[in-house]
Amino acid sequence: VTETVRTSGLGAARGAGFRRRSFVCAAATSGTMVEGHGVHRVAQRHRRLLLGKVFKATSPNGRFAQGAKLIDDRTLSRIEAIGKNLFYFWGDCRDGGKNTTVVHIHFGMSGQFKTAGFGKLEATKNTRLELASESDDIVAHLSAMTVNHGDMEFYDKKVKALGQDPLREDADADLVWEAFKKSRKSVGMLLMDQSVIAGLGNIYRAEVLFKAGLHPETPGASIDHETFMNVWQISKDFLRRGVETGSLLTVD
């Protein structure tokens, strides 16, 4: 199903001060960029519903025809979420990834990855991938800005281009700190730079800076380590709350 994320108490750090606002946005639907917590929720749900299954893979609108052929009638063996990116792995994990096909997904502003009972979804002009299993009574429809495929080398290259995701257990805050110290960018720009911190969007950027008491134009290299770690921890806390609740909640 498509999740709706309700945001409240959102502070926008702009100019010389801060102001607070509230509105509604949706995860993995049109009209707003999906933030990192929404992507991780999709991954969690799909690990429960899709992982380990074999699907008939097709591309209803023809825009992922080659990729669909490569994953058709193969086992979905692994799912990874990194920032705003999803990676789905098809193939036998025991072969060291030699014959693995990796599908990379970035929802952009108008993506969704819906699941339902077999035969319960109708493809649209935007449906790039359909995964169907009659025996498991499930179908999944994907529409997204970016849907690419490749091998494990393709995956490794994508990962190297991304920054540290605060939601992942393997996230290394020290690498982010080094990037801050070397950068000429402002703190606000660094928080939005997916090659530094993967998963934060404009809403989280504003709220993290508001809670940390930092102006968005503060040079990243000018803050001390204690201030940086506070920013990192706030980012983790906000994102984790988003994963747990499905809502972009940044106030207690």
Side-chain angles (χ1 to χ4, degrees), residues 39 63-64 67-68 70-71 76 78-90 100-108 113 128-129 142-162 194 198:
V39 170
R63 296 184 60 192
F64 193 62
L70 289 173
I71 64 176
L76 176 59
R78 177 183 170 192
I79 299 173
E80 295 288 347
I82 305 176
K84 302 178 183 182
N85 301 266
L86 283 165
F87 298 92
Y88 288 63
F89 300 73
W90 269 269
T100 298
T101 297
V102 184
V103 175
H104 169 230
I105 300 163
H106 190 293
F107 288 116
F113 206 160
R128 300 181 70 170
L129 175 64
L142 169 66
S143 62
M145 177 182 71
T146 299
V147 187
N148 294 321
H149 69 278
D151 55 15
M152 290 302 296
E153 185 177 349
F154 162 84
Y155 168 69
D156 290 339
K157 183 177 180 179
K158 290 290 184 182
V159 171
K160 287 179 181 178
L162 294 171
Q194 299 302 300

Side-chain angles (χ1 to χ4, degrees), residues 23-143:
F23 50 84
V24 175
C25 67
T29 60
S30 61
T32 182
M33 182 71 72
V34 181
E35 305 252 8
H37 77 276
V39 170
H40 277 266
R41 283 180 67 86
V42 171
Q44 287 182 353
R45 184 168 67 251
H46 286 184
R47 289 186 187 113
R48 294 194 304 269
L49 297 175
L50 308 180
L51 199 63
K53 293 180 172 61
V54 176
F55 298 96
K56 176 65 178 176
T58 59
S59 179
N61 70 0
R63 296 184 60 192
F64 193 62
Q66 183 180 0
K69 288 180 180 178
L70 289 173
I71 64 176
D72 182 43
D73 200 30
R74 298 180 69 191
T75 301
L76 176 59
S77 56
R78 177 183 170 192
I79 299 173
E80 295 288 347
I82 305 176
K84 302 178 183 182
N85 301 266
L86 283 165
F87 298 92
Y88 288 63
F89 300 73
W90 269 269
D92 191 339
C93 296
R94 294 172 297 181
D95 68 1
K98 294 179 180 179
N99 298 305
T100 298
T101 297
V102 184
V103 175
H104 169 230
I105 300 163
H106 190 293
F107 288 116
M109 298 293 289
S110 58
Q112 53 184 247
F113 206 160
K114 300 186 292 185
T115 57
F118 184 80
K120 300 297 184 181
L121 292 179
E122 184 174 346
T124 71
K125 64 180 181 180
N126 296 319
T127 307
R128 300 181 70 170
L129 175 64
E130 176 183 89
L131 302 174
S133 173
E134 186 172 6
S135 62
D136 292 303
D137 187 28
I138 193 165
V139 63
H141 280 185
L142 169 66
S143 62

Side-chain angles (χ1 to χ4, degrees), residues 236-251:
K236 289 178 65 174
D237 291 344
F238 282 171
L239 286 166
R240 285 175 177 171
R241 188 182 299 184
V243 172
E244 292 170 358
T245 66
S247 298
L248 214 165
L249 299 174
T250 56
V251 293

Side-chain angles (χ1 to χ4, degrees), residues 180 183-188 190 214-223:
F180 268 61
S183 178
R184 295 183 179 180
K185 293 181 179 180
S186 66
V187 174
L190 284 165
L214 282 173
H215 193 285
E217 295 180 4
T218 302
S222 71
I223 66 174

Side-chain angles (χ1 to χ4, degrees), residues 144-215:
M145 177 182 71
T146 299
V147 187
N148 294 321
H149 69 278
D151 55 15
M152 290 302 296
E153 185 177 349
F154 162 84
Y155 168 69
D156 290 339
K157 183 177 180 179
K158 290 290 184 182
V159 171
K160 287 179 181 178
L162 294 171
Q164 300 298 299
D165 181 345
L167 284 171
R168 290 181 60 90
E169 292 184 2
D170 58 3
D172 189 342
D174 289 339
L175 293 178
V176 182
W177 168 237
E178 289 300 319
F180 268 61
K181 289 194 297 181
K182 296 176 182 178
S183 178
R184 295 183 179 180
K185 293 181 179 180
S186 66
V187 174
M189 292 182 66
L190 284 165
L191 290 182
M192 291 283 287
D193 188 338
Q194 299 302 300
S195 69
V196 177
I197 300 179
L200 295 179
N202 191 49
I203 296 172
Y204 277 123
R205 174 201 66 86
E207 287 300 290
V208 168
L209 293 176
F210 183 88
K211 188 166 184 177
L214 282 173
H215 193 285

